[in-house]
Amino acid sequence: TQLLEQSPQFLSIQEGENLTVYCNSSSVFSSLQWYRQEPGEGPVLLVTVVTGGEVKKLKRLTFQFGDARKDSSLHITAAQPGDTGLYLCAGGGGAVGGSEKLVFGKGTKLTVNP
Amino acid sequence: DAEITQSPRHKITETGRQVTLACHQTWNHNNMFWYRQDLGHGLRLIHYSYGVQDTNKGEVSDGYSVSRSNTEDLPLTLESAASSQTSVYFCASSEPDQETQYFGPGTRLLVL
């Protein structure tokens, strides 16, 4: 059973468009993390959200943790080709059974066309 | 700068052979993890360790083993490689009580 469901699985957009990626679960997590992975490399952490309702911004990226700490979203404003990559959400604690382990969603593959 | 390295980066082997993938980190992190990444499945946890001499099974541990003799290294061994173990393998590390994980560059393994 996949604890974290990400949608959409694939997303292809034009430069300048906005997009939102969702990460949903029926389980509660102590934290939600977003990673970005480029081809041939390992995932790199973008942000960690730990408080229900928390919103964090990283330049054109906005991350939100749901009030009940079961879901999260990533919104990109005015996407650029450099945003292309695989975006992974990961949940820790609570449902995972140990705060140091993570469970990952399957990822959203984003392509931003010039 | 601290880093986490994996070797080899690419490996081709035959079914039935024993294969060991190396993971070395200079972060001095107690926690280390091995994942496999496959299309349609995302990252799945194979084994993890919270310190020297500590090892634990993850979600997909069958056919794999690890040992932790020092802080820096967590080698992953495929006892008898199977075609189903063709995948990209990632090693990661983290500090105690911290959920942020730092990933290596991955090893692409092909079992023929």
Side-chain angles (χ1 to χ4, degrees):
Chain A
T1 302
Q2 187 75 21
L3 286 179
L4 279 171
E5 299 287 342
Q6 273 189 251
S7 62
Q9 190 174 355
F10 300 95
L11 191 55
S12 181
I13 61 172
Q14 294 300 120
E15 182 175 1
E17 292 184 2
N18 302 330
L19 67 111
T20 302
V21 176
Y22 299 93
C23 179
N24 296 305
S25 176
S26 58
S27 303
V28 176
F29 293 95
S30 63
S31 73
L32 236 296
Q33 301 181 8
W34 286 92
Y35 290 79
R36 179 165 167 255
Q37 183 179 16
E38 299 197 23
E41 299 181 9
V44 176
L45 181 71
L46 293 172
V47 78
T48 300
V49 285
V50 296
T51 305
E54 182 177 5
V55 176
K56 281 191 174 179
K57 293 193 175 185
L58 188 66
K59 297 183 180 178
R60 294 176 292 100
L61 279 61
T62 302
F63 304 86
Q64 185 163 8
F65 201 9
D67 290 340
R69 305 207 320 272
K70 293 182 179 181
D71 53 83
S72 181
S73 63
L74 158 61
H75 182 79
I76 301 179
T77 303
Q80 299 177 0
D83 295 326
T84 293
L86 179 67
Y87 290 82
L88 297 161
C89 67
V96 186
S99 63
E100 293 153 314
K101 285 195 301 179
L102 297 174
V103 61
F104 283 82
K106 293 182 181 181
T108 294
K109 187 172 183 181
L110 171 66
T111 302
V112 182
N113 302 298
Chain B
D1 286 346
E3 61 177 358
I4 180 165
T5 57
Q6 294 183 235
S7 62
R9 293 296 312 277
H10 303 271
K11 174 80 175 176
I12 300 174
T13 191
E14 297 176 343
T15 55
R17 289 188 181 262
Q18 184 181 77
V19 177
T20 297
L21 309 183
C23 175
H24 180 79
Q25 52 99 2
T26 58
W27 293 95
N28 201 33
H29 287 163
N30 281 350
N31 303 337
M32 295 185 73
F33 307 85
W34 272 104
Y35 296 89
R36 59 178 290 173
Q37 187 173 39
D38 305 283
L39 282 174
H41 291 281
L43 280 164
R44 292 182 291 175
L45 185 62
I46 304 172
H47 280 287
Y48 59 101
S49 168
Y50 288 146
V52 176
Q53 301 302 328
D54 176 73
T55 61
N56 305 280
K57 294 181 179 180
E59 176 189 358
V60 289
S61 61
D62 287 350
Y64 303 94
S65 64
V66 293
S67 61
R68 188 88 181 271
S69 59
N70 58 54
T71 300
E72 296 80 16
D73 300 288
L74 187 69
L76 176 71
T77 297
L78 286 66
E79 303 293 344
S80 178
S83 57
S84 60
Q85 294 176 309
T86 291
S87 186
V88 182
Y89 291 86
F90 288 98
C91 180
S93 69
S94 70
E95 295 179 353
D97 298 322
Q98 297 295 317
E99 291 164 4
T100 301
Q101 294 186 9
Y102 298 86
F103 284 81
T107 294
R108 187 173 295 272
L109 177 67
L110 175 60
V111 183
L112 299 175

